[in-house]
Amino acid sequence: MGKKVALVLGSGGARGYAHIGAIEELESRGYQIGCIAGCSMGAVIGGIHAAGKLALYREWIESLDYLDLLRLLDLSFSLGAIRGDKVFGRIREIVGDIAIEDLPIPFTAVATDLTNQQEVWFQEGSLHQAMRASAAIPSLFTPVIQGNRMLVDGGLLNPLPIVPVVSSHCDMIVAVNLNATNHKRYPLPVIERPPAAKGRFDLMVDTLSARLPFWKRDTGLELLADATVVDEAPLSEQPPAAPEPTPSSPKSAEGSHVVDVAGPASLLELVNHSFEVMQTSLAQYKIAGYPPDVLINVPRRACRFFEFYKAEELILLGRIIARDALDHYEAQL
């Protein structure tokens, strides 16, 4: 259709891979991305796309196997579970050292300055530093120290940064919200992998659980230690409504339905679970204040915040949801 799009990419951990699918769907329809504002993973994906390296980045993340992912975990014992030097070092190799003002697509990365308790927009200077600061997820990645400022994930104040693109000279605003609640309509797609690959992924999750206590596992059940049980498992792990009981299925006292026990099983996951709940609420305020022309809602429960090994599934999910949202928008024109 040739319309110029101001693209807003929200924060949401691993769900940020869905941004790639949304971008691909937009471009396949002939939309031109005129500017980008991103937060956290939205800033990472947006910055890489603005630099023209998204295809190379996608090729890299989809090639990562079990050992590759474990090698990227540079564990830290201060202000974050992971330093992030290895991950962002590889991104730097892909993108190169480039200033934001030299990008072919105008770009804004949003971070949070804890020292001065304010939102920070990066619209010039090092792209690498801007992406790293915007994606410094509290408790997961260590903060970025810049002068007297301590910079962390922009999602703390603005998980869907629409305001930076409101004054752009684009035909329409498209926002990708990673903290939506439309989980019943959009379950995470299932990607068929060879049995050996599936085994490596399962082993990787178990290893992560041991080295970084994100969650605990026990015969398919998520366990809560000293906490109230809440129904907050990702949709991809939940059974369908009213399943037929099987001999291996855990049952309630009456044996009438499958019990799905889920929720934070460590302090780290509790912090990030709380962070996501806050982002969901903040995103709704941003959407109400500055309604975009097209809103692509990726469900928060599609996957957990940490599940970065589900790149293929999340890219496909982003494309599916973007397709439906754009179909609806185009039908109204």
Side-chain angles (χ1 to χ4, degrees), residues 65-305:
D65 63 15
Y66 156 71
L67 289 176
D68 295 325
L69 287 165
L70 284 184
R71 291 189 188 106
L72 291 173
L73 296 179
D74 45 0
L75 302 186
S76 170
F77 297 97
S78 65
L79 300 179
I82 303 170
R83 288 194 302 274
D85 294 343
K86 292 183 179 179
V87 173
F88 284 96
R90 179 62 182 125
I91 292 174
R92 191 171 199 160
E93 291 175 6
I94 293 172
V95 175
D97 290 312
I98 186 170
I100 295 173
E101 59 267 31
D102 294 331
L103 293 171
I105 300 176
F107 174 69
T108 302
V110 176
T112 299
D113 177 3
L114 287 182
T115 306
N116 299 298
Q117 302 178 20
Q118 64 185 13
E119 188 176 319
V120 176
W121 293 4
F122 287 93
Q123 296 179 319
E124 59 182 19
S126 169
L127 173 63
H128 178 266
Q129 188 174 44
M131 293 190 298
R132 176 66 182 85
S134 182
I137 303 168
S139 79
L140 184 59
F141 288 109
T142 54
V144 171
I145 307 301
Q146 187 182 75
N148 64 344
R149 302 190 299 186
M150 178 179 285
L151 302 173
V152 297
D153 196 305
L156 199 62
L157 293 177
N158 192 353
L160 194 63
I162 301 174
V163 176
V165 304
V166 168
S167 61
S168 67
H169 299 289
C170 292
D171 300 312
M172 57 189 291
I173 296 175
V174 176
V176 185
N177 173 30
L178 302 181
N179 295 284
T181 57
N182 56 332
H183 56 273
K184 292 184 179 179
R185 184 175 179 184
Y186 291 109
L188 190 68
V190 175
I191 301 293
E192 294 295 335
R193 294 186 175 92
K198 183 180 185 301
R200 288 198 298 270
F201 272 78
D202 291 342
L203 181 58
M204 182 197 69
V205 175
D206 292 337
T207 305
L208 284 175
S209 301
R211 296 185 64 181
L212 298 174
F214 295 153
W215 58 84
K216 298 178 183 177
R217 293 183 166 218
D218 184 17
T219 62
L221 292 180
E222 300 286 350
L223 301 182
L224 285 177
D226 302 322
T228 303
V229 175
V230 292
D231 180 19
E232 194 58 26
L235 186 66
S236 58
E237 295 179 6
Q238 289 187 353
E244 291 295 326
T246 63
S248 60
S249 300
K251 302 176 183 178
S252 66
E254 294 79 13
S256 59
H257 65 280
V258 173
V259 177
D260 186 18
V261 184
S266 71
L267 178 59
L268 183 59
E269 191 178 5
L270 176 61
V271 170
N272 280 279
H273 184 82
S274 303
F275 185 52
E276 287 201 299
V277 171
M278 179 193 68
Q279 287 187 110
T280 300
S281 179
L282 285 174
Q284 293 306 312
Y285 281 110
K286 299 300 180 182
I287 293 167
Y290 297 92
D293 298 286
V294 177
L295 179 61
I296 299 171
N297 273 320
V298 178
R300 178 165 61 91
R301 291 172 63 185
C303 78
R304 290 184 184 271
F305 207 72

Side-chain angles (χ1 to χ4, degrees), residues 17-18 20-22 24 58 62 188-191 310-323:
Y17 288 141
I20 299 175
E24 291 176 349
R58 175 176 180 170
E62 290 186 339
L188 190 68
V190 175
I191 301 293
K310 294 184 177 179
E312 290 183 80
E313 293 93 331
L314 289 161
I315 292 171
L316 178 57
L317 178 64
R319 183 143 196 176
I320 291 170
I321 300 174
R323 178 199 63 200

